[in-house]
Amino acid sequence: MREILWITVAASILYACIMDFRTCEVYNVTWWISGSAAALLLFLNGKTTVTAIAELAAFCLIQLLVFTKMYGRADCYAFCVCAMAETACGMGFAEYLFHMLIAFGILAMVQFARRNIDTKGNLKHPVPFIPYIAAAFVLVLLFF
């Protein structure tokens, strides 16, 4: 059962990457599916504490209230789904933040190499961010 849920999370995030890359939009149903699978993983874990749920809720709330304006709602949903899956692996708030740092770091390096960063540090042309979030998610899962 857990394998099917992990495959669902991975496939949904991959689908979101492709949609973001092609159209710069991601259907909400993608997050309903991946979020449901990640939530089931979280609750099947059996070791999830109230503190872990509180950290996850705080992270998702911060994503949706603060970062939505910075990089978009779909990107926030991607970070929240990844955080749910990370929580199912025993990770917490520090790892969520590290995941964000890795995603922004990869984005910065790639866009700097492509000369898509202006003098103020902003992107000259918008780019899909979910592929960077997904790559950072894989790194976090592999190394933490």
Side-chain angles (χ1 to χ4, degrees), residues 20-47:
D20 196 24
F21 186 74
R22 288 188 173 176
T23 66
C24 290
E25 293 181 8
V26 179
Y27 296 128
N28 284 337
V29 71
T30 308
W31 306 121
W32 297 338
I33 293 167
S34 60
S36 298
L40 283 171
L41 278 170
L42 183 65
F43 292 111
L44 285 176
N45 181 6
K47 300 175 188 173

Side-chain angles (χ1 to χ4, degrees), residues 13-25 130-131:
I13 292 173
L14 178 61
Y15 179 70
C17 289
I18 293 166
M19 284 183 64
D20 196 24
F21 186 74
R22 288 188 173 176
T23 66
C24 290
E25 293 181 8
I130 295 174

Side-chain angles (χ1 to χ4, degrees), residues 103-132:
F104 280 111
I106 296 169
L107 174 74
M109 288 188 299
V110 170
Q111 296 309 311
F112 182 77
R114 291 184 177 172
R115 302 189 192 283
N116 189 27
I117 298 178
D118 65 18
T119 56
K120 295 179 183 177
N122 297 320
L123 295 176
K124 293 178 187 176
H125 306 286
V127 296
F129 188 39
I130 295 174
Y132 296 97

Side-chain angles (χ1 to χ4, degrees), residues 1-116:
M1 179 69 167
R2 291 183 209 282
E3 291 83 8
I4 292 170
L5 293 172
W6 274 109
I7 290 168
T8 303
V9 170
S12 297
I13 292 173
L14 178 61
Y15 179 70
C17 289
I18 293 166
M19 284 183 64
D20 196 24
F21 186 74
R22 288 188 173 176
T23 66
C24 290
E25 293 181 8
V26 179
Y27 296 128
N28 284 337
V29 71
T30 308
W31 306 121
W32 297 338
I33 293 167
S34 60
S36 298
L40 283 171
L41 278 170
L42 183 65
F43 292 111
L44 285 176
N45 181 6
K47 300 175 188 173
T48 307
T49 64
V50 173
T51 304
I53 298 295
E55 287 181 356
L56 176 62
F59 178 77
C60 291
L61 196 61
I62 292 167
Q63 281 294 321
L64 296 172
L65 295 177
V66 176
F67 291 105
T68 300
K69 294 174 183 150
M70 184 176 171
Y71 45 68
R73 188 169 301 277
D75 303 323
C76 291
Y77 291 155
F79 274 122
C80 291
V81 166
C82 291
M84 274 194 271
E86 290 164 357
T87 303
C89 293
M91 297 180 203
F93 202 84
E95 287 84 7
Y96 312 153
L97 294 178
F98 199 64
H99 178 194
M100 288 179 67
L101 179 67
I102 294 169
F104 280 111
I106 296 169
L107 174 74
M109 288 188 299
V110 170
Q111 296 309 311
F112 182 77
R114 291 184 177 172
R115 302 189 192 283
N116 189 27

